Amino acid sequence: MNRKICVVTGTRAEFGLLRWLMQEIKDAPDLTLQVVATGMHLSPEYGHTYHEIEQAGFAIDHKVEMLLGANSATAITKSIGLGTIGFADAYASLQPDLLVVLGDRFELLAAVTAALIAGIPVAHLHGGETTEGAFDEAIRHSITKMSHLHFVAAADYARRVIQLGEQPERVFNVGGLGIDAIKRTRLLDRQALEAALDFKLGSRNLLVTFHPVTLDKQSSANQMSAMLAALDELEDTHLIFTMPNADTGGHELAAMLEDFTRSRPHTRLHTSLGQLRYLSCLQFVDGVVGNSSSGLAEAPSMHIGTVNIGDRQKGRLSASSVIHCEPDLGSICTALQQLYHPAFRATLPLTVNPYGDGGASEKIVDVIKNWPLEGLVKKRFYDLPL
């Protein structure tokens, strides 16, 4: 029987992680790939990144418009409501046999809620992780409880999903999907990357991504201000910024970045780098700075350092290449000094990524091709042994 596998993607970063899994599904003779694009992909403000999905060779079967112009708490909540309505229509049209979602964003909460009511089984990727500084933490665990097959990136995360009451035989430790992207993507050389960025790299370079911290007492803007002040003190360093996600307070952060980069020729701001340019940047920068999960999940495989600021990623497994710091000027400056210290840099070639060494896509497809779907939506709560 040919199974229709529906993959939902709402952001540039998430699609970068899903891309090779989508290719595996598309290439499998007994699977049919369905793609639903939503969220930031459909927004001109975030670069209409659904074009990247099409340029990678995937047809988009349905688009779910859900983002409102504002990104206040009220607007995000209303977006979830709009998304739930849109996904209900998408599933009625596509009739998928299995839904595949990755991560913890609010767009996926809408997607999985609609699937739950429609009786569509869900495969959830990268569950069991913790991010104590964002409401994504609660969304991720909620999606776990509405999902039926679980593909996690590490043994610790598998244990956590089981702790949430999921049956152990439905939890698969496959490693991180980002490592597949690094291994499979033919990266740009320095000259081609500079042409693609329209930006000359310097003797020192940093890649910077800072997203809103939706649960911190200290505002995202204050943390961003401290980070920018610390970066401004660096000498002979070129800075490549990517825009923050469409989360609460994201517009304010975007405006701060636009103001900062406007008057500094050694900086460049990109709405979206896309996977190829982003991974290519990792080859040539001295480190990743900010609070993006990529600094913990992908950067260690490229043997570069990460300065992880604040609590947004607190609780995630991290390699020895990750320097954690508080979101204040002094702490960030100290962390940047450590990033460039010869003793620290000497350890980077020995970095071991806790998210594995690749192969997640093939492992996931092997399960979704063969796992019985009949009766999958009925779940029995797994109680841990006393």
Side-chain angles (χ1 to χ4, degrees):
M1 178 182 174
N2 195 289
R3 293 181 172 180
K4 293 183 287 185
I5 310 299
C6 181
V7 177
V8 174
T9 174
T11 74
R12 68 206 184 210
E14 171 200 70
F15 170 65
L17 297 175
L18 287 168
R19 180 195 171 161
W20 295 107
L21 172 61
M22 291 166 62
Q23 191 66 52
E24 291 281 339
I25 296 170
K26 182 181 177 183
D27 292 344
D30 44 359
L31 299 177
T32 297
L33 175 66
Q34 298 175 327
V35 179
V36 177
T38 189
M40 292 166 62
H41 281 311
L42 308 182
S43 169
E45 181 181 354
Y46 295 98
H48 269 152
T49 51
Y50 73 87
H51 291 305
E52 294 178 17
I53 302 172
E54 296 171 331
Q55 289 163 5
F58 302 108
I60 297 174
D61 298 279
H62 206 102
K63 295 177 181 176
V64 175
E65 294 275 7
M66 59 181 290
L67 285 189
L68 298 179
N71 59 12
S72 63
T74 301
I76 297 295
T77 305
K78 289 181 178 180
S79 292
I80 294 171
L82 290 173
T84 306
I85 295 169
F87 283 111
D89 291 336
Y91 302 151
S93 171
L94 298 175
Q95 294 291 305
D97 296 304
L98 181 72
L99 185 71
V100 175
V101 298
L102 184 150
D104 49 27
R105 286 191 55 79
F106 63 84
E107 297 95 336
L108 302 181
L109 180 61
V112 174
T113 299
L116 175 72
I117 304 304
I120 300 167
V122 177
H124 183 211
L125 317 181
H126 279 267
E129 303 177 17
T130 58
T131 48
E132 297 176 15
F135 55 52
D136 300 359
E137 163 93 356
I139 291 175
R140 184 187 307 107
H141 299 327
S142 298
I143 291 173
T144 290
K145 292 310 301 175
M146 292 189 282
S147 299
H148 309 88
L149 296 174
H150 307 275
F151 299 96
V152 301
D156 286 359
Y157 300 148
R159 285 193 294 270
R160 197 171 286 135
V161 169
I162 294 168
Q163 185 180 342
L164 286 167
E166 299 303 295
Q167 294 292 327
E169 65 269 18
R170 294 189 183 190
V171 182
F172 305 90
N173 178 12
V174 298
L177 279 161
I179 301 165
D180 282 8
I182 292 171
K183 291 202 162 187
R184 294 197 188 194
T185 304
R186 185 177 179 180
L187 303 179
L188 302 173
D189 62 26
R190 188 182 182 104
Q191 185 177 2
L193 176 61
E194 289 178 335
L197 295 174
D198 188 25
F199 183 65
K200 194 76 172 173
L201 297 174
S203 57
R204 287 183 169 187
N205 305 276
L206 295 174
L207 182 57
V208 186
T209 305
F210 191 88
H211 298 301
V213 279
T214 50
L215 291 182
D216 273 17
K217 291 181 179 179
Q218 185 182 356
S219 77
S220 297
N222 288 344
Q223 296 188 27
M224 172 73 89
S225 180
M227 181 188 75
L228 294 177
L231 293 172
D232 214 20
E233 292 185 9
L234 297 175
E235 296 180 356
D236 302 320
T237 303
H238 287 200
L239 305 172
I240 304 167
F241 292 90
T242 62
M243 280 290 199
N245 279 339
D247 291 319
T248 311
H251 286 173
E252 185 178 6
L253 300 188
M256 294 174 69
L257 287 177
E258 289 168 351
D259 183 63
F260 183 83
T261 57
R262 188 178 297 117
S263 59
R264 292 169 173 83
H266 64 288
T267 69
R268 184 56 54 92
L269 174 62
H270 289 270
T271 301
S272 172
L273 284 174
Q275 185 183 69
L276 176 60
R277 290 190 299 177
Y278 187 89
L279 294 179
S280 297
C281 280
L282 293 182
Q283 295 180 105
F284 301 110
V285 297
D286 298 289
V288 172
V289 177
N291 61 8
S292 170
S293 61
S294 66
L296 281 70
E298 283 85 58
S301 291
M302 303 292 277
H303 301 288
I304 61 172
T306 296
V307 173
N308 179 56
I309 300 170
D311 288 347
R312 190 173 189 272
Q313 302 299 336
K314 188 175 181 180
R316 282 195 197 270
L317 294 175
S318 61
S320 59
S321 58
V322 181
I323 302 165
H324 300 280
C325 70
E326 293 299 312
D328 60 77
L329 177 59
S331 298
I332 298 170
C333 286
T334 299
L336 289 170
Q337 290 171 1
Q338 183 180 345
L339 177 70
Y340 282 111
H341 195 282
F344 174 76
R345 303 197 71 76
T347 68
L348 293 177
L350 305 176
T351 301
V352 175
N353 193 330
Y355 297 95
D357 55 6
S361 300
E362 296 96 326
K363 295 172 187 174
I364 294 168
V365 167
D366 187 57
V367 173
I368 64 178
K369 279 197 302 187
N370 300 301
W371 196 270
L373 297 183
E374 186 175 351
L376 189 61
V377 294
K378 281 190 175 182
K379 296 204 302 184
R380 177 170 51 88
F381 195 95
Y382 180 77
D383 290 304
L384 294 176
L386 297 176

